[in-house]
Every structure is written in structure tokens, then in C-alpha cells.
Amino acid sequence: GGGNMAAAGREEPPLGLDAVAEEAAAAAASAGFRLTAVRREPAVRLQHGASGLEPLAWSEDHRVSVSTARSIAVLEQLSDVHSCGQDMVIHRTAVPAPATACTLKVGPKKEVAECKEKFASSVDPTVSQMFMLDRVFNPEGKSLTPMRGFKYSSWSPLGCDANGRCLLAALTMDNRLTIHANLNRLQWVQLVDLTELYGERLFEASYRLCKADTPCGELGDFPEFQRRHSMQTPVRMEWSGICTTQQVKHNNECRDVGSVLLAVLFENGNIAVWQFQLPFLGKESITSCNTIESGISSPSVLSWWEYEHNNRKMSGLIVGSAYGPVKIIPVNLKAVKGYFTLRQPVVLWQEMDQLPVHSIKCIPLYHPYQKCSCSLVVAARGPYVFWCLLLISKAGLNVHNSHVTGLHSLPIVSMTADKQNGTVYTCSTDGKVRQLIPIFTDVALKFEHQLIKLSEVFGCVRTHGIAVSPCGAYLAVITTEGMVNGLHPVNKNYQVQFVTLKTFEEAAAQLLESSVQNLFRQVDLTDLVRWKILKDKHIPQFLQEALDKKIESCGSTYFWRFKLFLLRILYQSMQKAPSEVTWRPSHEDAKILISDSPGLGSTEDDQEEGTSKQARKQSLGDTGKGVDIDDTAEDSLHQSSDTGDREPMVEKLLEIQAQIEAVEMHLTREHMKRVLGEVYLHTWITENTSIPTRGVCDFLMSDDGYDDRTARVLIGHILKKMNKQTFPEHCSLCKEILPFTDRKQAVCSNGHIWLRCFLTYQSCQSLVYRRCLLHDSIARHPTPEDPEWIKRLLQGPCTFCDSPVF
């Protein structure tokens, strides 16, 4: 199910864990430590125990997947500008485990059933016992407990599903590998079952990888039965970055198409590399599937190696073994532009030292001394971290490797990396997390490391998995109760808890210097900023000044959107948290419309009702809306002030609101200029597009205070092109003309109201339209007759909050 889990402003007891954590953090800081981990509410209770290896993964679009015994729980972090609760806002959904057990296709059904019968009743105990106890042959278990839950999950890069977000590849305990997408906020849809497709491919090729292979044996031979299973039992799967392929159209034109690769590592050491065209919609998006033999026995883990050198992109797959070795396997990518690969495998670690490789991360970094890009590969091997630095120089490929020892007294159960700065985090089950920071030396590198004791933040806990957020602001941890007075807990409660890894100042600085310039892609950082402003009820001076300086010196609208975000959070911080739960029906007659009340915190529902972007702050001054200024002021000042303080508070709110309006207006005008630029470039003299061009031009020119030379020149050109033609929009209910007086809605002379699409400014006169993630604005669906450039415009994110549109 979905729903916001932001708790309604609970007060912490004065000597809660937070206080302890902060004291501990202060003590650590004085001891010369850099990192202060602070607990972030809420903790999310899981309905079932965590399962599989590395049960936590954090996607680039801010969703945390947790593999459990019945489903994959997905927690989506939102930076909600409509809520005044200080807790993190988390939207929760789930990918349920399939109802039926997965049986691998090793031959015709009848023959397989006969062979199973034969092996189960074999007089040779080595055959019958191996057959009965092997969970790949017997996933539903008969006398054994059924294999339920998930073994592993992996997120694709951003931009792979139909909404331009991440896909989730999920591997169940009984070896079913599927790909899922979350297209409508609440429900996950299975797009393809790769285990089934791969099984069919193998069946058609009679279980031979290439024509030259020796003909395979009979299914009735137990070794052949085992071979056919192990060649299609997935161990792990990982996504590559997005790459570009060329597609030749019917008229021999070439067009660039985005594609992504999914590498699947099998029990016998083979790797299947699936290539998908983007956006990935299902079976029809599969372009190819190639199988590579890695030659690694008992493979345990997989990671992509992607390296850029002199604008040439190298790629390969790093494979680790349960016996210890780690090597890079070349991957030849057909039809992928600008990709090269190694000539032969590169061995990173060759000792069969029986230390299983549990997890591998590959981080692209810049080498400050060698002045070139390099790859840092880190692998968890037992309680140690193996690292390897790869860089290409004139002499060829240089490989430096070593181990970091003395980090943990128990094996590492989970490892995660902040891709932006190369910081690696490892954890063992005893609640100890290590932060490893790579520091370059002339030749290779060394690691500075420090301990994060989760017991100082959460009390005594056991840890089952960790994941770091995309911009490195938070660490998510799966915990259960630790020992109390030397005794293990009777029941285990699995929880996902959050710890801050950055201070507010670091997060703000990172947002100001961001190369991404997109608020949605930095939700973890904006959440830290949001938390600080809601706590302090003001925007820190240094941030305001730095932001104003950026706005003056740089033309980017990103800083305006950041300013809008800060103002909205400040506005929310002035609100009183609702004294009662908003979803519970009240027994007295409500005096005001919920959607118009600026005093209420938001819930999903009242956002569904509100028509404009922020119906709750629809103008305090507008008493005609049924909101009495004195009422509102009384509401938001109830707890703190006497009559004397009330007036300044109302004035302050009105002032913030005026600033919000001004910034929104600026962003709207900038986007209008962009839309008009597209209209000018792509339309013939008088062609009617679905963009109300004349209306937008008049709207931009209507304010005497707005003097923008670019806009004036552009509008002059467009009006010259349009001559006297106006192409007005008509109301579909009464055929009256829809005037363009408001950027958010269109009202015809008979009072019919239509919302405007914020990407094209057309009035949305259909029942279905899309909304941005934070309910800021609405957009229409593209229609088949729309030209390419309008479809491109409609793919854009929200112009106010950068979030994607569904």
C-alpha cells in the first residue's frame, strides 16, 4: 500500500536517543573525528524479515528497496514542500513475491517429470539425496520449507522506464529474475520475466552456447540434469550505465537510441548480457542477449567496470568468486557508439584463499597527481576490504591492489559507496559501520577510516544491510534488536532506520555548487535543508546570501527553483502542525474548506482535491475564499503568542507569500520564453499548434514592470509570423473563447474552469492528465498528432520543483 508515513510532529523526550547521539557526536568531534551521525526519524518497520545478500539498495531517484521474505518493500523519499512535519516523508509501496514457485526449463515437461521421479527414487544415495536437498531442483520443497522471498534486487540508472525513472530488477530465492516498473505511484508492474525467456532460448539452442559445442548429453544423466540447471540459475545481476546505440530507419537515416545493459551472472560462471532499448516497456524492448563465459568457478558477485579515457569509453564486468579470485571480463558491445573493451581478462586478485568475495563496488574517480580519470574497485572479502586502482597511461593499464585489514572483527555483511566522492561504508552484524575515505598518494592510494558505532545512535542493534543515499546525505540501515543483558531478543523486529552522514552546511554547499542543477535528483540533500529550516524557523543568513549571489551572477533557473523551495519550507515552518489527525473525519461542521486553509499540514488527499499548485496557500489576503485572516493567524500562532504578536506573524506570512509568488512568476516567464522559442523554431507561418501562442505573448507583455529584451524581440518575431491570426482556445463545454489571464488556469465567460498544462500552457480539457510528484503542477498527455518538439516539451520535469510528471 502507499501513503505518507510522516508522523505528525511528535515531541522527542528531552533525554531521548537524539540527545545521547548528539552528545556522543560532540565528544567524537572533539576527538578529531569528522563524521557526526545523527538519527533521522521515522524508522520504518518491516512486515517480514530481511532476506538475501545485500538486502538494501538505494536508487538514483531516491527509492530504497528492501528484500524481505514476502516482498520487496520500496520506500520512496520525498522532499515535501507541503508538509510542516519535521520527519522524513516516505511513500511506501511493495513488489510482491510471485505466488507460484519458479521451475527452470531444462527440457520437455513430461521428460523432466520422469527424470525427477527417477532421481528421487534412485538407489544411489549420492543421487537421491543431492536431488532431494537441492533447492534449485526442488524450489517448492515438498518436505523442506518452500523458498520464499528475494535473494537480491538491483536498480537501473535514472531514465529507463516510461516516466524516465529507475527500473527494478528482482531475483527471488527460487531463481526467478524479473524486471519491474512503478508507473503510477502506487503499483508495481512486472514488465518481463527474464528467467523464462532465457530458459526458452537455451531450450531452442538445445542447451549449447554456440554451434561448435559438443552435443549435450541425455537429461536422464544426473550430471547433465545439473549442468542444465546451473547454466540458468542467476547468482546476481547488475545494470550498466545508459549508452547510445544507432538505429537505421527505413529511409536509411540513422537515429541515436538510448539503451541499457543488464548483466546476469549464472552459477556455472556464464554471464548473459541483455540489451534493452529505452524507454524499457517489456519484451518488445529487448534488442539482444549474448552469453559470455567468465571461466570463474563458484562465482558470487558481479559489477560493471565503466572507464572513460581520452573520450574513449571502456567497459567490462568485474566478477568475484566464493573461493577468492577477482577478475575483469571483456564485454564486446555491438552497435554501441564509442565503446571499447579489453583484449583479454585482467586478473585483479588471483589467490584461491577461500575468502569469499561478498560485494564489489566500482567507483570512477579523478587522479589528482596523474591528472587522469581512474577506477577504484573495492570488494568485501570476509572481514577485509580488497581494493584495486586501475588507470590507463601511455604504458598501458596500471593495476595497484592491496587489502585494508583490521576494520571489523566479524565478516562484512554489507558494503555501499558514495559514487560522488568515493567514500566507502562497510558494516558487520554487530552494529559497527566503517567509513573509508580514499586518499591519493603519488603512486596509488591509501584509506583513512573511522568507526561509526550505531549503538550510540540506536542503542544496541544487530545490522543486516546498509545503503548510502545518491548524494551521500543519509545512510539507511536494516536493524533488529541486539542482546539485552547478555540475552538474545525473543522476537526480531526488522526496521529500516536512517542516519545523517552530512551536516546542514555541507548539504547546502553541495546544492549551491551542484553540477546536476536538479532539485529532484538531490532529494536527500534538500531533505537535510528542509529539516533544518523547519527546526529553526528561518533560512540561515549564509545560505540566503550565497544563493542571492548565485542568482545575480548566473543565468540558471536552478537557483530560482532552489530559492522557491527554501521560501516554501519557511512558509511551512510558520504553520502550526494540525492538532488532530487530518484523515480522521471530524464530527463538527467544518468552518472552512480544507484545501483553502493555510493552517493545515498537507495529506495526500487534500492535495488530490486542491486544483492549483498549492491550494493551501491560496492567498491569505483573499478573504472572499472563506479564510478569515484573523482565524488563520490565530491558528498558526495559537501556542506561542498573545494578541500583540499576532499582527507581525500575519505580515510575515504575507511577505513570504509575496516572495513565493514573485519567484513562481519569474520561473513561469522563463519557461514561457523557452516554449515561445520552440514555437518560433518549429512552426511555419500560421500553423495552429496546441500551444496558445498569442495568449502567452499577451500574458508576457501585460505586466509593465516586466522588461525583458529577449522576450520582446522573440514576441516581435512571432507576432510578425502570425500576422493577424489569433487561434484562440475554445471551451469544450460551451465553445466560448478561453482567455489567457492566468498561468495556472483558464476560465471561460460561462465560468467553466480548466487547469493549464505547465509545460505547454494549453488548457487541459480532458479528464485525464498527469501530475508532478510533489503535486506542484499538472501536464497534459502527448497525443499522436503532436509534433516531435511538443512531445519533447511534454517530457520535461516540473518547472517549479524539478520532479518528474506521472
Side-chain angles (χ1 to χ4, degrees), residues 23 49 95 97 111 139 170 174 222 252 261 266 276 321 339 354 426 448 473 525 533 575 612 657 668 691 698 765 798:
E23 271 182 47
V95 181
E111 195 184 331
D174 58 9
F222 193 55
N252 279 347
L261 306 165
F266 294 105
F276 305 127
S321 157
Y339 269 80
Q354 308 300 319
T426 58
E448 224 177 73
L525 297 173
I533 295 172
Q575 308 296 330
S612 80
Q657 206 172 338
T668 301
I691 287 174
D698 293 348
Q765 300 192 33
C798 175

Side-chain angles (χ1 to χ4, degrees), residues 7 31 80 92 222 225 381 430 445 509 554 556 641 659 754-755:
D80 195 354
R92 187 170 176 166
F222 193 55
F225 185 77
R381 302 180 69 242
D430 55 6
L445 52 77
C554 163
S556 166
S641 60
Q659 286 178 293
W754 306 105
L755 299 179

